C-alpha cells in the first residue's frame, strides 16, 4: 500500500460525552470513505469500532479503537474514544498522540459533563479541535443553545461554518456559510442524493447575518481579512479558508458544523472540513524530548529521513499476544528491525507492523512519521515508553495516569482458576495503567482497584469471557488516604552487618501536615557535614516508602511534609541501604505520634432529572451525605450539581432509576480527598 505524504495525513480523535453519537459518527465516516461497506449500528451491537462483546451488549465504547480511511486524497487515522468517565484514561492516552480532535455534541443535551472533561484533556495537549453538533433531527434539538454552551462551559471560541435547514423532525440539510450555498439530503438513506442549491428566501437574511459574523470573527486573527472587511471588498474563498485553518491550528477558533449521523446527514461535509481545517503531522510543532544521558532538549521533526522517535500509547493483549499501539513522530520503522527503549536501556525487535482497523489488522513492511500503527514483538516495553534509534536516543515525556478510587476483592472459584488468575491480572495490568492489584497481607485477598464500578465490572467480565477465568467478587471498597492531625518527630538508628559489610545510619525527622491537596514534600535542614548530601536521595526514598502504608489502616499517607532535622554518619559504614531503612523507621515512628485520620474520595456528581422528581432526588443526595452545589435547567431537565462521598454512591444508578421512573441519569468524577 502506497504511503501518503505527511501533509496528506490527519490523525484525529472523536471525543465527547457518553451517548453523544461518537461511534455513530465514526461508523458513517468509515462507510462514506469506503472503509466499510455496511453501516454498523451501535444499538444493534454491530458497530465496527465497538468490537468487544461488552461494548456490543452495553451499547457504549469501552476501549479506544484505531482505524485508517481515505478521503479525497488524504489519509485519515481515527481513534474513536470512550465517553464514560471510568474509561477517561483511554481518552487521555489517545489525545497524547493525536494532532486534531472532533468534539461531537448532542443538539439536545449540549455540552455535558464528560464533554467538558475530554475537551480540557485536549486543551492540556494543545490539540486543535472542531465541533460537530449531532442529533439535529431529535425533539428538543437547539443548535444555537449548544453553541452558547460551548462558549460558556468550554471557554472556547466557536466559529459557525454551517446553519441547520429545519430542525427536529424537519431537519433536512445545512447552509454552508463559506460557499453561501444550501445543501439538502433527499432522505435518510445513506446513499441518497445530495443537492446543492441557492439558499431559500426564508433563510437568506439569517445566512447573510452569520456570514458577516464569520468574516468579522476571522478578521480578528488575520490582518488581510481585517483590511478587506473594513473596506467591504470581496474576500476570496480560498483566502478565507486558509485564515480559518491557521486560526484553528493556533487554537484561536473552533469551526462548528452540524448534522445527524444516525440519519446520514452532514458526514461528507465533516470529512471535507477535517481535511481542510485540522492539522497534518507537519503542521503541529515538533514534539520535544530529552537525551536520556545528557538531559539535553531534542526536537523531533516529522520527517521520514530523520532518526526514529515513537511513543507507545497503548498495549493490548489479544489472542495471547502483546500488541503495542505506537505513534511514530519522526523517522521510519521497519518490520524485522531493532528499536531502542531508553527507559529500560534495552533493544527490542519489531516482528510485525500492523495497520489497524478496530480489531482487524493488515500487515505492512514499514511505517513512517505521522503514522499510528500496531506492532508485535516487543517483550518488555509498555505504555508511555519511547522507542527510538539506538544511535540517536530520545526520551519523550511519560504519560500521567489517574489513581484508582474504588476496590474489590477477587478470589478464584476453582484450583484451575487460581493457576490462571495471576497471569490474567498481569495481562490486564499491562493493558490498563489505571488498574492496580495488591495482596492484602492481613486477609490474603487479592485486591483489584480501578476508576469506578463500571470499570471493575468490565474487567471482571473480561476475565471470564476472554481468559475463561471465573472469580468471586467481594463488595467494592473505597480506596482511602491517610494524613496527620498534628506534628510528629522521631529518630532511628540502623546498625547491622549485611553480607559481610557493616551498615550504619542515624536519621532524625519531623513530619507535619500540609493543606489538603498539597501532596507530600521532603526537605533537609541539616548541614552536609552531619550527613553527606549523597545520601539525601536514599533518605527521601525511605520516607516515601514509609508513606505508602499509613499507621491507621495501611492506606497511603498524603499532604505531609517530612523534614530531615538531624542524624549522624560513620565514615566507611554509611550506606544508601542503611539511610533508606533508617529514614523509613524514623518516618513510621513519627507517623504514630501524628494522630492519623482518614481522607475519603469525594466525587463531583451531576444528576439530570425531570423537574417533577427533583425533590426526591435532592432528598436522596442529602441522605448520602451530599452537598448540593447548584441547580440549573437545560431543555426539559434539571441539573443538580453536588459533591458526595464515594462510599455513599454505591448502587446510586439503581436508586436514581427507581426515584425518577427511569428518566434520570447522572455522571460522577473524582474531585478531591477530604476528611471522612
Amino acid at each position: 500500500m502506497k504511503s501518503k505524504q505527511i501533509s496528506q495525513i490527519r490523525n484525529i480523535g472523536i471525543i465527547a460525552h457518553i451517548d453523544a453519537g461518537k461511534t455513530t459518527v465514526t461508523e458513517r465516516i468509515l462507510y462514506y470513505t469506503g472503509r466499510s461497506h455496511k453501516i454498523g449500528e451501535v444499538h444493534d451491537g454491530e458497530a465496527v469500532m465497538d468490537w468487544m462483546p461488552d461494548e456490543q451488549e452495553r451499547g457504549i465504547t469501552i476501549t479506544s479503537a484505531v482505524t485508517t480511511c481515505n478521503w479525497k486524497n488524504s489519509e485519515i487515522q481515527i481513534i474513536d474514544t470512550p465517553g464514560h468517565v471510568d474509561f477517561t484514561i483511554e481518552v487521555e492516552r489517545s489525545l497524547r498522540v493525536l494532532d486534531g480532535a472532533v468534539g461531537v455534541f448532542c443538539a439536545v443535551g449540549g455540552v455535558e459533563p464528560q464533554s467538558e472533561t475530554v475537551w480540557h484533556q485536549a486543551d492540556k495537549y494543545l490539540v486543535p479541535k472542531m465541533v460537530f453538533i449531532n442529533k439535529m433531527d431529535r425533539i428538543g434539538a437547539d443548535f444555537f443553545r449548544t453553541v452558547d454552551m460551548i462558549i460558556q462551559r468550554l471557554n472556547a471560541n466557536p466559529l459557525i461554518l454551517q446553519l441547520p435547514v429545519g430542525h427536529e423532525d424537519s431537519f433536512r440539510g445545512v447552509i454552508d456559510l463559506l460557499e453561501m450555498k444550501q445543501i439538502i439530503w433527499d432522505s435518510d438513506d445513506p446513499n441518497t442524493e445530495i443537492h446543492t442549491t441557492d439558499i431559500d428566501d426564508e433563510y437568506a437574511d439569517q445566512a447573510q447575518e452569520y456570514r458577516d459574523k464569520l468574516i468579522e470573527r476571522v478578521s480578528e486573527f488575520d490582518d488581510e481579512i481585517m483590511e478587506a472587511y473594513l473596506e467591504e471588498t470581496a474576500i476570496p474563498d480560498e483566502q478565507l479558508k486558509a485564515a480559518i485553518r491557521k486560526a484553528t491550528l493556533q487554537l484561536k477558533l473552533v469551526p462548528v458544523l452540524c448534522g445527524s449521523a444516525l440519519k446520514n446527514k452532514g458526514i461528507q461535509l465533516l470529512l471535507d472540513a477535517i481535511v481542510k481545517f485540522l492539522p497534518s503531522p507537519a503542521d503541529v510543532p515538533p514534539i520535544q524530548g530529552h537525551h536520556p544521558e545528557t538531559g539535553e532538549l531534542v526536537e523531533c521533526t516529522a520527517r521520514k529521513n530523520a532518526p526514529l522517535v515513537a511513543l507507545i500509547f497503548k498495549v493490548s493483549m489479544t489472542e495471547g499476544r502483546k500488541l503495542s499501539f505506537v505513534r511514530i513522530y519522526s523517522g521510519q520503522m521497519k518490520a524485522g528491525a531493532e528499536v531502542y527503549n531508553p527507559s529500560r536501556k534495552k533493544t527490542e525487535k519489531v516482528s510485525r507492523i500492523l495497520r489497524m482497523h478496530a480489531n482487524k489488522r493488515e500487515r505492512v513492511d514499514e511505517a513512517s512519521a505521522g503514522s499510528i500503527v500496531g506492532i508485535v514483538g516487543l517483550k518488555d516495553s509498555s505504555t508511555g515508553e519511547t522507542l527510538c534509534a539506538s544511535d540517536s536516543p530520545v526520551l519523550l515525556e511519560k504519560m500521567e495516569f489517574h489513581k484508582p478510587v474504588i476496590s474489590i476483592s477477587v478470589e478464584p472459584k476453582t484450583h484451575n482458576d487460581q493457576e490462571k488468575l495471576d497471569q490474567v491480572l498481569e495481562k490486564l495490568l499491562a493493558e490498563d495503567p489505571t488498574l492496580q492489584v495488591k495482596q492484602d497481607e492481613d486477609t490474603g485477598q487479592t485486591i483489584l482497584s480501578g476508576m469506578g464500578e463500571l470499570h471493575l465490572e468490565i474487567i471482571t467480565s473480561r476475565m471470564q469471557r476472554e481468559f475463561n477465568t471465573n472469580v468471586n467478587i467481594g463488595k467494592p471498597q473505597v480506596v482511602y488516604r491517610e494524613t496527620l492531625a498534628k506534628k510528629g518527630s522521631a529518630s532511628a538508628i540502623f546498625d547491622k552487618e549485611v553480607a559481610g559489610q557493616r551498615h550504619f545510619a542515624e536519621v532524625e525527622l519531623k513530619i507535619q501536615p500540609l493543606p489538603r491537596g498539597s501532596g507530600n514534600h521532603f526537605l533537609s535542614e541539616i548541614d552536609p557535614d552531619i550527613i553527606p548530601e549523597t545520601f539525601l536521595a536514599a533518605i527521601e526514598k525511605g520516607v516515601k516508602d514509609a508513606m505508602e502504608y499509613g499507621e491507621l489502616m495501611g492506606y497511603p499517607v498524603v499532604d505531609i511534609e517530612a523534614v530531615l532535622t538531624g542524624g549522624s554518619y560513620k565514615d566507611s559504614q554509611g550506606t544508601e541501604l542503611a539511610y533508606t531503612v533508617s529514614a523509613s523507621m524514623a518516618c513510621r515512628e513519627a507517623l504514630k505520634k501524628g494522630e492519623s485520620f482518614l481522607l475519603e474520595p469525594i466525587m463531583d456528581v451531576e444528576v439530570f432529572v425531570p423537574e417533577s422528581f427533583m425533590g426526591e432526588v435532592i432528598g436522596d443526595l442529602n441522605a448520602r451525605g451530599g452537598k448540593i452545589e447548584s441547580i440549573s435547567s437545560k431543555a426539559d431537565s434539571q441539573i443538580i450539581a453536588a459533591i458526595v462521598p464515594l462510599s455513599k454512591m454505591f448502587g446510586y444508578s439503581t436508586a436514581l432509576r427507581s426515584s425518577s421512573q427511569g428518566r434520570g441519569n447522572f455522571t460522577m468524577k473524582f474531585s478531591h480527598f477530604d476528611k471522612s
Side-chain angles (χ1 to χ4, degrees), residues 352-395:
R352 281 183 284 163
I353 301 175
L354 307 168
R355 192 170 292 282
M356 303 303 297
H357 178 47
N359 63 330
K360 298 179 177 66
R361 56 201 73 166
E362 169 193 349
R363 288 180 72 160
V364 293
D365 294 329
E366 59 182 50
S368 305
S371 298
I372 294 175
V373 291
I375 56 178
V376 177
L378 304 184
K379 291 189 173 69
D380 300 310
S381 302
S382 63
T383 305
E385 293 180 351
T386 309
L387 301 175
C388 60
S390 54
D391 55 352
S392 299
V394 179
L395 197 55

Side-chain angles (χ1 to χ4, degrees), residues 96-110:
R96 172 76 157 79
V97 298
L98 290 170
D99 302 321
V102 177
V104 178
F105 299 126
C106 170
V108 181

Side-chain angles (χ1 to χ4, degrees), residues 249-366:
L249 300 195
Q250 293 172 345
L251 308 181
K252 291 174 179 172
L253 289 174
V254 178
V256 177
L257 294 84
C258 63
S260 168
L262 190 64
K263 298 296 174 68
N264 308 300
K265 294 182 173 75
I267 301 301
Q268 298 99 319
L269 305 182
L270 173 62
L271 282 162
D272 288 342
I274 287 169
V275 172
K276 278 180 203 161
F277 303 122
L278 287 181
S280 74
D283 294 322
V284 295
I287 193 166
Q288 294 185 331
H290 290 88
H291 192 286
E293 306 298 332
T294 65
E296 181 187 347
L297 192 69
V298 181
E299 275 201 348
C300 310
T301 312
R303 291 200 326 269
K304 185 176 179 178
N305 56 2
L308 172 70
V309 179
L311 182 76
I312 303 170
F313 67 95
K314 179 176 171 169
V315 170
S316 175
M317 307 299 288
T318 52
E319 298 166 7
R321 290 189 175 182
K322 182 176 177 180
L323 174 64
S324 303
F325 289 81
V326 169
R327 162 70 195 262
I328 302 174
Y329 286 102
S330 177
Q332 198 173 21
M333 187 181 283
K334 294 189 177 182
E338 290 190 336
V339 292
Y340 180 63
N341 180 335
S343 304
R344 298 179 183 264
K345 297 184 178 176
K346 282 190 174 181
T347 298
E348 299 243 48
K349 187 174 181 180
V350 177
S351 304
R352 281 183 284 163
I353 301 175
L354 307 168
R355 192 170 292 282
M356 303 303 297
H357 178 47
N359 63 330
K360 298 179 177 66
R361 56 201 73 166
E362 169 193 349
R363 288 180 72 160
V364 293
D365 294 329
E366 59 182 50

Side-chain angles (χ1 to χ4, degrees), residues 581-622:
V581 175
S582 179
S584 184
M585 290 161 58
C587 187
R588 286 204 177 95
E589 192 59 39
L591 287 171
K592 288 177 185 175
K593 298 175 181 177
E595 293 184 7
S596 299
F597 63 88
L598 284 183
L599 298 172
E600 68 175 323
I602 307 296
M603 311 303 285
D604 271 329
V605 178
E606 277 201 342
V607 185
F608 303 81
V609 68
E611 191 168 358
S612 54
F613 302 107
M614 252 180 60
E616 200 170 337
V617 170
I618 290 172
D620 184 37
L621 287 172
N622 287 331

Side-chain angles (χ1 to χ4, degrees), residues 7 20 28 51 53 132 142 220 244 306 315 319 343 355 389 392 407 492 496 514 600 621 641:
S7 61
R28 268 62 185 175
W51 56 271
F132 182 73
D142 192 328
E220 294 172 22
I244 293 170
V315 170
E319 298 166 7
S343 304
R355 192 170 292 282
S392 299
S407 300
K496 280 188 179 175
L514 292 174
E600 68 175 323
L621 287 172

Side-chain angles (χ1 to χ4, degrees), residues 182-230:
Q182 186 168 288
I183 299 160
I184 300 296
W185 282 263
D186 278 351
S187 71
D188 298 342
D189 186 278
N191 301 311
T192 190
E193 288 285 320
I194 303 174
H195 297 292
T196 302
T197 64
D198 291 333
I199 298 166
D200 290 350
D201 290 344
E202 63 178 302
Y203 295 111
D205 290 343
Q206 185 192 40
Q208 191 56 55
E209 177 194 346
Y210 277 90
R211 163 81 177 188
D212 293 342
K213 284 182 178 178
L214 183 154
I215 294 171
E216 183 183 351
R217 182 68 60 87
V218 176
S219 69
E220 294 172 22
F221 307 104
D222 189 287
D223 292 340
E224 288 181 18
I225 288 179
M226 172 68 84
E227 202 174 303
Y229 174 67
L230 293 174

Side-chain angles (χ1 to χ4, degrees), residues 2 10 235 297 566 569 594:
K2 194 177 176 185
R10 299 291 181 272
I235 301 166
L297 192 69
Y569 166 75

